[in-house]
Amino acid sequence: MKITCLLQKKYLLLLFVLMLQSFLTAQVAIPEDFCISSDELKLFNLINNYRRGHNLEAIPMSKNLCFVARLHVDDLVHNHPDEGNCNLHSWSDQNNWTGCCYGSDPDNNTCMTSKPRELTTYQGKGFEIAFWESLDAVPEIVLDLWIGSKASNDLLLNRNTWAEQPWKAMGVGMMKGYAVAWFGHESDEENAVKICDTIQTDKPLFDRVVPVFETTSVRYYLIISSFNERSQAEKELNALRKRGFRNPSIVPSAKNFRVSLGNYATREEALEAKKSLGEKYAKAWVLKQ
């Protein structure tokens, strides 16, 4: 009997060691040179400025959640796990993490919530909002789309489902046409994140770096066509969405209905977007409104 108990204890100890090793190897060490881009910092500040406008506290930046965000946009760009019934919160099985399809089971969100703990030392759950369009993501447009989505806006402003769940940590990631923001209820001691091409910070970024990005009602629309009837413009709009454009819109005037591929904060951003589209949309023009 004593021998049996001893063997059981040894077995349980071995099992615990194996599980611990598995947990540690699953985590991805954050590189010493990890940094966030100026666009990522801008999106982070835009979110907090939006919250301040609604009398909410700024959310501290989390190095761990920023790293999770970076891994996810990289996975979305290169491996495209968001196919079929799998949405933008999905992860591929092409790297050192557990691949999963978010959307196949609407009652199971562990594909999202477990990733920070799986990949970093952050012990809380993670909640993500995501964006994609065929053009390079622009921080202002990303936030505009999230604000326009009730589910995303509720999360940003701690409303309804999130009313009693204040955010204590946030991370952002952007790459090509993808952008994600991760939120957590637990604070992250790793709150100093280097901004690419600048010096390392030693305090939470929202205390050290708060550029003011003035919001404005003026937008620059990349117009590709114009129609006399709204039904014609809507038909063109649906065709663009099927081709992969995520932010097309109809811009009405007194005489016609213009179709826009996207809207931007500055004329330069609109022209840069036009340039990235190539010859197919060479006749597109910029409308300031």
Side-chain angles (χ1 to χ4, degrees):
M1 187 68 175
K2 291 183 179 180
I3 294 177
T4 302
C5 291
L6 182 61
L7 288 174
Q8 287 178 338
K9 290 180 179 179
K10 287 185 176 180
Y11 172 77
L12 291 173
L13 179 61
L14 177 61
L15 182 62
F16 172 77
V17 171
L18 290 174
M19 290 175 63
L20 180 62
Q21 288 177 339
S22 175
F23 171 73
L24 292 174
T25 55
Q27 293 182 350
V28 181
I30 300 179
E32 291 186 5
D33 61 351
F34 174 71
C35 60
I36 62 170
S37 69
S38 58
D39 272 350
E40 289 168 333
L41 176 62
K42 188 174 187 180
L43 179 58
F44 170 79
N45 280 303
L46 283 171
I47 291 171
N48 273 332
N49 287 347
Y50 176 60
R51 285 175 56 84
R52 288 189 185 98
H54 289 79
N55 299 315
L56 296 172
E57 293 183 356
I59 307 170
M61 182 169 281
S62 160
K63 184 175 183 179
N64 283 306
L65 293 183
C66 280
F67 186 58
V68 173
R70 177 67 56 77
L71 291 177
H72 197 198
V73 290
D74 185 86
D75 187 41
L76 288 165
V77 168
H78 294 103
N79 300 314
H80 303 290
D82 53 323
E83 295 181 347
N85 294 326
C86 305
N87 65 27
L88 287 169
H89 304 306
S90 304
W91 293 70
S92 77
D93 58 0
Q94 299 301 305
N95 215 311
N96 188 32
W97 53 65
T98 305
C100 55
C101 173
Y102 192 107
S104 58
D105 181 0
D107 296 324
N108 183 4
N109 67 357
T110 56
C111 179
M112 173 203 301
T113 57
S114 65
K115 278 296 177 282
R117 182 177 295 182
E118 177 185 346
L119 296 172
T120 70
T121 58
Y122 185 79
Q123 291 303 296
K125 292 182 178 180
F127 301 87
E128 180 190 47
I129 52 177
F131 168 97
W132 176 82
E133 69 173 350
S134 56
L135 305 176
D136 286 349
V138 177
E140 292 87 349
I141 293 177
V142 173
L143 182 59
D144 281 349
L145 184 68
W146 285 340
I147 291 173
S149 162
K150 185 181 184 305
S152 297
N153 195 48
D154 282 350
L155 185 147
L156 288 169
L157 298 179
N158 292 109
R159 291 178 174 173
N160 296 319
T161 302
W162 314 102
E164 304 300 324
Q165 303 182 56
W167 303 120
K168 299 294 183 64
M170 174 171 61
V172 293
M174 298 179 68
M175 185 177 291
K176 295 189 176 180
Y178 292 92
V180 300
W182 283 76
F183 301 82
H185 301 308
E186 306 296 330
S187 299
D188 186 1
E189 294 181 0
E190 294 286 338
N191 53 24
V193 188
K194 182 179 179 182
I195 307 166
C196 300
D197 302 320
T198 65
I199 62 172
Q200 176 76 33
T201 62
D202 58 3
K203 292 183 179 179
L205 279 179
F206 79 93
D207 284 341
R208 282 288 300 274
V209 183
V210 186
V212 178
F213 301 106
E214 296 293 342
T215 57
T216 174
S217 59
V218 176
R219 303 297 292 180
Y220 294 82
Y221 294 84
L222 193 56
I223 305 297
I224 61 164
S225 56
S226 180
F227 299 92
N228 293 325
E229 296 182 10
R230 187 177 185 90
S231 60
Q232 295 173 312
E234 289 177 348
K235 184 177 180 181
E236 176 75 357
L237 198 70
N238 291 331
L240 289 170
R241 285 172 176 159
K242 288 180 180 179
R243 282 182 230 153
F245 290 94
R246 286 295 185 91
N247 201 36
S249 61
I250 296 174
V251 186
S253 70
K255 296 181 179 180
N256 53 27
F257 299 89
R258 303 181 179 110
V259 176
S260 166
L261 289 179
N263 65 87
Y264 305 87
T266 66
R267 183 173 181 272
E268 290 70 24
E269 289 175 346
L271 291 174
E272 191 65 28
K274 175 185 174 181
K275 184 179 177 182
S276 70
L277 291 172
E279 292 298 319
K280 185 173 181 179
Y281 296 98
K283 294 183 179 180
W285 58 281
V286 177
L287 170 69
K288 180 181 178 181
Q289 186 165 302

